[in-house]
Each structure stands twice: as C-alpha cells, then as structure tokens.
Amino acid sequence: NAGVTQTPKFQVLKTGQSMTLQCAQDMNHNSMYWYRQDPGMGLRLIYYSASEGTTDKGEVPNGYNVSRLNKREFSLRLESAAPSQTSVYFCASREGGYYGYTFGSGTRLTVV
Amino acid sequence: AQSVAQPEDQVNVAEGNPLTVKCTYSVSGNPYLFWYVQYPNRGLQFLLKYITGDNLVKGSYGFEAEFNKSQTSFHLKKPSALVSDSALYFCAVRAENFNKFYFGSGTKLNVKP
C-alpha cells in the first residue's frame, strides 16, 4: 500500500546509545517531516525537509540530526539518547501546495 | 508566531448527540487549517481542511468544521456522535507562506453508548 513507512515500530535504548529511525515514502512527495508526540503536548516538529537536499530545524531539534538521503527517505538520528527523548516519533510527508500530511504509523522509543 | 490551542483535554458525549471539539489559532497571514484523528497505536489520519471559500467544510466520517475568521476558530463538529468516533483529535495550522504545520495538544473524544 502506498504511504509512509517507519522502522522500527518499537525500540528500547539505554542512555547514551545511538540509533537511527528510518522513514520512506512512495508517493513522490517533496516535503518530509519528523515529529515527536508526548502526552498533553501534541505533536512537536523536530526537523523537516522541504525538498531533496534541504533540511531545517523545527521546534525541538536539540539532540537530533537528520538526513534526506533521497526524495523517498528521511532519517532521524539520536547520537546519544537521553530519557527525555522517550516519545512516539512520527514521520510525515506532503506533496506541497494546499495538501496536508500523510503520516507513518509511528516509532515508540523508550530510553532507560 | 504561529500556534494552535485546543482548550479541552477531553470531551465526553453520549452516542447520538452532537459533538464539538474546539480549536483556536494564531498565524501571520492567511491560515490553512486541518483536523486529524488518531486511533490508539496508529498514526494521524486526515479528516478535513479549510483553505479558502465556504466557511463550513465537510470531511470524512460525517465530520464538518466551521472556520470563523473574526474569532480565529476552527471547531470540529458532528451532528450525531458514534461510539466509533472515540479517538484523539488534533487541530493543525499552516500559514500561507510557510512549509510547516503547527499542531494543538489534542482533544480526547469519548463517546458513551
């Protein structure tokens, strides 16, 4: 099925470990986004990529890095995980113009 | 600055009754407004959007929303709630000249049989 695919779905990390969250979309969308969802805080933008080859910081970029590998793929890296990064992470893509987001199913990350 | 407020953490309604989930926004320029729904352990799904034109927009699953420019609001409504409507609802806004959306904190809708 066409859409946004995120891997892994679940992950437990120890403090200080690193990992990369993967995201791929097959809708030929130009823009891709990473959000984190925390209870009572809604979705907060971490980083986004308006087009292939560009990335920009969102509201909460500290502790994260991103790579827009190609038009399809946009990865999020935690270099040294901290308990404050325990969250559900969503990747989204958008065609542009007046269109909204298409979301992936999320990655539930726990840092202990 | 752009922001979205959903003043109610939770809304409770009986099945068959009308429901309203509130959203107010603040943007520079013309707003593009969206509603998304999230079922447990799932990603967000698009419900409806307002870009321009008629202030009352209709979306999926019988939902509609009313854009009110003077009150900077975009409330989600449904004439007759179903138990299956129980979920987390998010309002989002994008300003005309920006490429990113801002989300509200979400409202949990509980529809009781």
Side-chain angles (χ1 to χ4, degrees), chain A residues 31 33 35 37 40-43 45 48 50 57 59 90 94 97-101 103-105 108, chain B residues 32 34 36 38 41-46 49 51 88 90 94 98-106:
Chain A
S31 303
Y33 306 78
Y35 282 86
Q37 182 181 21
M41 303 190 73
L43 276 74
L45 183 64
Y48 69 103
K57 295 179 180 179
E59 302 169 77
F90 286 101
R94 196 172 75 87
Y98 303 137
Y99 290 93
Y101 289 147
F103 282 89
S105 56
R108 187 173 295 273
Chain B
Y32 298 160
F34 294 75
Y36 287 84
Q38 185 182 32
N41 301 314
R42 302 288 294 275
L44 281 72
Q45 299 175 32
F46 170 79
K49 66 181 177 183
I51 303 300
L88 190 56
F90 289 95
R94 179 174 81 88
F98 287 87
N99 193 21
K100 50 190 176 183
F101 288 63
Y102 290 87
F103 284 82
S105 55

Side-chain angles (χ1 to χ4, degrees), chain A residues 16-96:
Chain A
Q17 286 185 318
S18 63
M19 80 160 295
T20 300
L21 281 64
Q22 307 287 353
C23 175
Q25 53 93 6
D26 57 6
M27 297 170 287
N28 203 36
H29 288 173
N30 287 317
S31 303
M32 298 185 73
Y33 306 78
W34 277 104
Y35 282 86
R36 59 179 289 174
Q37 182 181 21
D38 301 293
M41 303 190 73
L43 276 74
R44 293 181 291 169
L45 183 64
I46 305 171
Y47 271 93
Y48 69 103
S49 171
S51 61
E52 186 178 358
T54 69
T55 60
D56 286 286
K57 295 179 180 179
E59 302 169 77
V60 289
N62 292 342
Y64 305 95
N65 285 302
V66 290
S67 295
R68 184 74 183 268
L69 303 170
N70 47 55
K71 192 170 186 178
R72 290 186 64 249
E73 298 173 286
F74 188 41
S75 62
L76 178 71
R77 183 162 178 83
L78 287 70
E79 292 290 352
S80 179
S84 61
Q85 294 178 305
T86 293
S87 188
V88 181
Y89 291 84
F90 286 101
C91 178
S93 68
R94 196 172 75 87
E95 183 171 346

Side-chain angles (χ1 to χ4, degrees), chain B residues 36-80:
Chain B
Y36 287 84
V37 59
Q38 185 182 32
Y39 298 100
N41 301 314
R42 302 288 294 275
L44 281 72
Q45 299 175 32
F46 170 79
L47 271 182
L48 51 79
K49 66 181 177 183
Y50 172 82
I51 303 300
T52 188
D54 193 347
N55 289 341
L56 184 66
V57 293
K58 295 186 182 298
S60 307
Y61 313 120
F63 284 93
E64 58 190 27
E66 186 169 11
F67 171 64
N68 188 315
K69 188 173 184 177
S70 62
Q71 297 185 7
T72 62
S73 67
F74 189 56
H75 300 331
L76 181 70
K77 301 181 180 183
K78 188 173 183 180
S80 179

